[in-house]
Amino acid sequence: AQSVAQPEDQVNVAEGNPLTVKCTYSVSGNPYLFWYVQYPNRGLQFLLKYITGDNLVKGSYGFEAEFNKSQTSFHLKKPSALVSDSALYFCAVREGQGGKLIFGQGTELSVKP
Amino acid sequence: DAGVTQSPTHLIKTRGQHVTLRCSPISGHKSVSWYQQVLGQGPQFIFQYYEKEERGRGNFPDRFSAHQFPNYSSELNVNALLLGDSALYLCASSLAWGLEKEKLFFGSGTQLSVL
């Protein structure tokens, strides 16, 4: 079965500093990986996805993610954090032929001024 | 264009009652999925429908059922509510089913509280 793990419940970053939110995966076959962000009392917003191709994936709002097959990781990154980036971030892997996503438990990102 | 719309936004029920949650996908999208998000956890897959047929079911009891209508909107029904059913229920839509580059668009959810 496919799974993802987010080892950090919370990440604290100062505004302007780079941020990393970690995700590791366990899949059979080729991984289809996603990052979503959730703001308070809102649904999930798509940030980026890795299907095949370049290991560095660029997404919305200046975020990018690096796919590392040897380390089975798909960490989310941003060069310079904004206070408005504070939210709950979810890594997910697609399972099966359809759109079913398996989500990690989430990482709360807090960016302080 | 409207995104995925869900109704109601909030709902309070008591144990043993029945609830129906509604979802309208993005115009042109033919697949709808339902997820349950318990506080402090990631969303868990409940159902996926495509072209009015069930295409996937998660590990949820038979008290949970769903339906997709000819206009591609969907309803999630939960019978005999338990306290543990309290959660944010998210609906997601996508263009089709089985496309490699498919991504899900989520609604804002229905917050269900069971007392």
Side-chain angles (χ1 to χ4, degrees):
Chain A
Q2 325 282 53
S3 67
V4 290
Q6 294 178 243
E8 302 157 317
D9 290 336
Q10 186 161 11
V11 170
N12 297 308
V13 177
E15 188 176 30
N17 283 359
L19 70 87
T20 298
V21 182
K22 296 180 181 178
C23 173
T24 58
Y25 65 88
S26 174
V27 304
S28 55
N30 294 323
Y32 292 172
L33 297 162
F34 300 79
W35 276 101
Y36 281 83
V37 60
Q38 186 175 36
Y39 296 97
N41 302 315
R42 300 291 297 277
L44 301 172
Q45 294 181 30
F46 171 82
L47 282 179
L48 51 80
K49 65 183 175 186
Y50 172 83
I51 306 296
T52 58
D54 290 341
N55 290 341
L56 186 63
V57 180
K58 293 192 180 296
S60 306
Y61 314 120
F63 283 93
E64 57 189 26
E66 186 173 6
F67 172 73
N68 188 316
K69 187 173 183 178
S70 63
Q71 297 184 5
T72 62
S73 67
F74 188 56
H75 300 332
L76 181 70
K77 301 181 179 184
K78 187 174 183 181
S80 179
L82 301 173
V83 172
S84 57
D85 292 330
S86 298
L88 193 54
Y89 290 80
F90 289 97
C91 179
V93 62
R94 199 176 88 180
E95 179 173 279
Q97 193 174 359
K100 175 183 177 181
L101 294 180
I102 308 296
F103 286 88
Q105 70 272 30
T107 298
E108 186 168 355
L109 173 67
S110 177
V111 182
K112 300 294 186 186
Chain B
D1 283 344
V4 178
T5 57
Q6 293 187 242
S7 63
T9 55
H10 295 82
L11 203 51
I12 299 175
K13 292 284 188 179
T14 56
R15 281 178 296 175
Q17 284 189 313
H18 163 273
V19 69
T20 298
L21 311 181
R22 296 176 176 82
C23 171
S24 293
I26 292 171
S27 178
H29 284 196
K30 298 182 178 181
S31 180
V32 169
S33 301
W34 287 96
Y35 288 78
Q36 181 196 64
Q37 186 179 12
V38 174
L39 190 63
Q41 298 181 19
Q44 300 238 349
F45 173 79
I46 310 175
F47 286 109
Q48 185 181 23
Y49 278 78
Y50 173 62
E51 289 284 14
K52 294 151 281 185
E53 290 188 5
E54 182 184 300
R55 293 302 186 107
R57 173 185 284 255
N59 188 23
F60 280 80
D62 292 344
R63 300 184 295 108
F64 288 77
S65 64
H67 184 77
Q68 186 176 33
F69 297 97
N71 66 353
Y72 303 108
S73 68
S74 178
E75 287 183 353
L76 175 69
N77 296 286
V78 187
N79 292 324
L81 285 166
L82 303 174
L83 295 179
D85 295 332
S86 295
L88 180 67
Y89 288 84
L90 295 165
C91 175
S93 78
S94 56
L95 273 170
W97 181 86
L99 299 179
E100 184 179 85
K101 298 184 179 180
E102 196 66 81
K103 68 183 184 186
L104 299 182
F105 295 83
F106 283 84
S108 297
T110 294
Q111 184 66 55
L112 172 65
S113 298
V114 182
L115 306 178

